[in-house]
């Protein structure tokens, strides 16, 4: 056991703080007597809310301050919503644990279903996946960009900046706000890669902290999200790439279903792969299949690595 409190870094948003408290509570329960101090930071992504994330630096805006603190030794580990963590991470940083994954569904706030939306309804989102899926399902509606944490987006909806919006049910559950909105069927509306998963990162060389964190790693959740991130890496997607994924574990196998869309939703390709959870090439095979079927309007938003 360390002779001082471990420092846990987190974004300062209400949801991030709720996730940090969950991580601390699980870790302290696994190691009685361990002390953990939560250290919040206001991330760059929380400071600029009037432009899409992809235009101002992408997912790194959620992680760069915590990465710097972690590498400088100012914190011992950091907690993130995994869907907000860029696919390629610094070699000095490792995902040490994934907490049990929450509900992966998105929630529609402001209407009971996509089908009931009136033509011209303004759907508020800055997420390329959500925008593309919404326009694919309802090309007669309009997407307007709104960003911010859960409370900010709900306030923008109340202020009339959009007619409906989309949120992750996992975040609402963690904030005690599960009564908001209508969950969308994940078989019809695919989630984001990593959605619902809390990732805990530590310095790759910090064996002691990683050993402590291993006690709260949820292996099924870890296997699922690592496969989803392997798919992202093989696709060469970025913050402009509409990618949607649903992972299901069946026995010792994973069933990975994914869809790629053009940003305007007019084109969509989908595929499913079944492979052993230990088969790290399974996601790459699915990525190749999807890209081979995709037209130029989709492929131009992906840059797969040479194999």
């Amino acid at each position: 056991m360390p002779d001082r409190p471990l420092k846990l870094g987190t974004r300062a948003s209400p949801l991030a703080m709720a996730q940090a408290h969950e991580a601390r509570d699980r870790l302290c329960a696994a190691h009685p007597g361990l002390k953990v101090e939560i250290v919040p930071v206001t991330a760059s992504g929380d400071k600029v809310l009037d432009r899409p994330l992809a235009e101002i630096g992408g997912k790194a805006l959620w992680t760069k301050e915590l990465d710097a603190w972690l590498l400088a030794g100012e914190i011992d580990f950091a907690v993130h919503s995994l869907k907000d963590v860029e696919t390629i991470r610094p070699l000095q940083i490792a995902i040490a644990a994934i907490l049990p994954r929450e509900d992966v569904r998105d929630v529609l706030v402001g209407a009971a279903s996509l089908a009931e939306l009136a033509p011209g309804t303004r759907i508020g989102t800055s997420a390329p996946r959500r925008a593309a899926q919404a326009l694919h399902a309802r090309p007669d509606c309009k997407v307007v960009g709104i960003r911010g944490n859960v409370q900010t987006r709900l306030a923008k909806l109340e202020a009339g900046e959009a007619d409906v919006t989309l949120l992750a049910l996992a975040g609402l559950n963690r904030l005690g706000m599960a009564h908001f909105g209508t969950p969308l069927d994940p078989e019809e509306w695919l989630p984001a890669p990593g959605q619902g998963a809390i990732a805990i990162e530590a310095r790759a060389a910090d064996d002691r902290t990683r050993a402590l964190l291993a006690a709260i790693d949820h292996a099924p959740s870890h296997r699922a999200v690592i496969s989803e991130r392997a798919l992202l890496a093989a696709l060469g997607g970025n913050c402009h790439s509409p990618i949607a994924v649903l992972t299901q574990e069946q026995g010792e196998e994973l069933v990975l279903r994914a869809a790629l869309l053009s940003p305007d939703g007019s084109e969509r390709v989908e595929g499913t792969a079944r492979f052993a959870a230990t088969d790290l090439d399974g996601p790459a095979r699915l990525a190749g299949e999807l890209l081979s079927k995709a037209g130029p309007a989709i492929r131009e938003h992906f840059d797969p690595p040479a194999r």
Side-chain angles (χ1 to χ4, degrees):
M1 295 285 287
D3 54 6
R4 60 170 178 80
L6 292 181
K7 293 186 176 182
L8 167 57
T10 177
R11 287 167 52 202
S13 73
L15 176 56
M17 291 296 291
Q19 294 178 161
H21 279 91
E22 179 180 345
R24 182 185 66 182
D25 291 348
R26 287 180 180 274
L27 189 60
C28 291
H31 303 288
L34 180 67
K35 302 296 183 183
V36 176
E37 175 188 349
I38 293 177
V39 183
V41 62
T42 300
S44 297
D46 290 315
K47 298 174 184 176
V48 182
L49 301 178
D50 59 347
R51 284 173 287 167
L53 194 68
E55 292 182 4
I56 57 174
K59 291 182 177 181
L61 295 182
W62 299 131
T63 59
K64 69 176 187 178
E65 285 87 1
L66 290 173
D67 286 355
W69 283 7
L70 186 58
L71 294 175
E74 296 180 32
I75 57 175
D76 298 291
F77 55 109
V79 63
H80 300 283
S81 292
L82 187 63
K83 71 182 180 68
D84 293 333
V85 177
E86 60 269 39
T87 307
I88 306 302
R89 301 290 286 134
L91 293 177
Q92 306 97 313
I93 295 176
I95 295 177
I98 300 291
L99 300 189
R101 197 172 193 177
E102 247 283 4
D103 199 312
V104 300
R105 291 177 293 175
D106 272 344
V107 167
L108 179 66
V109 181
S113 69
L114 289 168
E116 80 164 28
L117 299 180
T121 294
R122 297 169 302 154
I123 302 171
T125 182
S126 291
R129 171 191 63 91
R130 287 174 173 152
Q133 287 197 114
L135 292 172
H136 183 77
R138 291 298 307 270
D140 57 333
C141 291
K142 179 183 179 182
V143 169
V144 295
I146 61 172
R147 278 195 55 234
N149 61 36
V150 170
Q151 292 81 358
T152 298
R153 280 182 279 171
L154 290 174
K156 289 182 177 182
L157 187 65
E158 183 69 22
E161 294 186 26
D163 301 310
V164 299
T165 192
L166 295 149
L167 299 169
L169 180 54
L172 293 173
N173 285 344
R174 289 175 176 134
L175 289 169
M177 300 169 64
H179 58 285
F180 277 87
T182 304
L184 300 175
D185 185 349
E187 294 289 344
E188 299 177 2
W189 179 279
L190 295 176
Q195 185 151 316
I198 295 175
I200 304 177
E201 292 189 323
R203 288 182 294 278
D206 186 353
D207 293 336
R208 183 177 67 172
T209 299
R210 292 182 65 179
L212 291 169
L213 292 170
I216 60 170
D217 183 50
H218 187 246
S221 298
H222 204 141
R223 288 191 292 267
V225 299
I226 290 300
S227 291
E228 292 174 7
R229 289 174 67 79
L231 177 72
L232 286 177
L235 288 168
N238 56 49
C239 287
H240 297 278
S241 310
I243 309 169
V245 177
L246 179 64
T247 304
Q248 296 173 313
E249 190 167 43
Q250 297 183 1
E252 296 184 356
E253 292 185 319
L254 295 178
V255 179
L256 186 61
R257 178 183 166 206
L260 311 182
L261 299 96
S262 59
D264 64 1
S266 63
E267 296 186 28
R268 173 184 171 119
V269 296
E270 185 177 315
T272 301
R274 178 188 291 269
F275 48 87
T278 55
D279 180 4
L280 299 182
D281 290 328
R285 292 194 297 271
L286 178 58
E289 175 190 328
L290 291 169
L291 291 173
S292 70
K293 297 190 296 186
I298 294 176
R299 286 201 307 270
E300 68 177 314
H301 298 284
F302 296 88
D303 184 21
R307 299 196 71 185

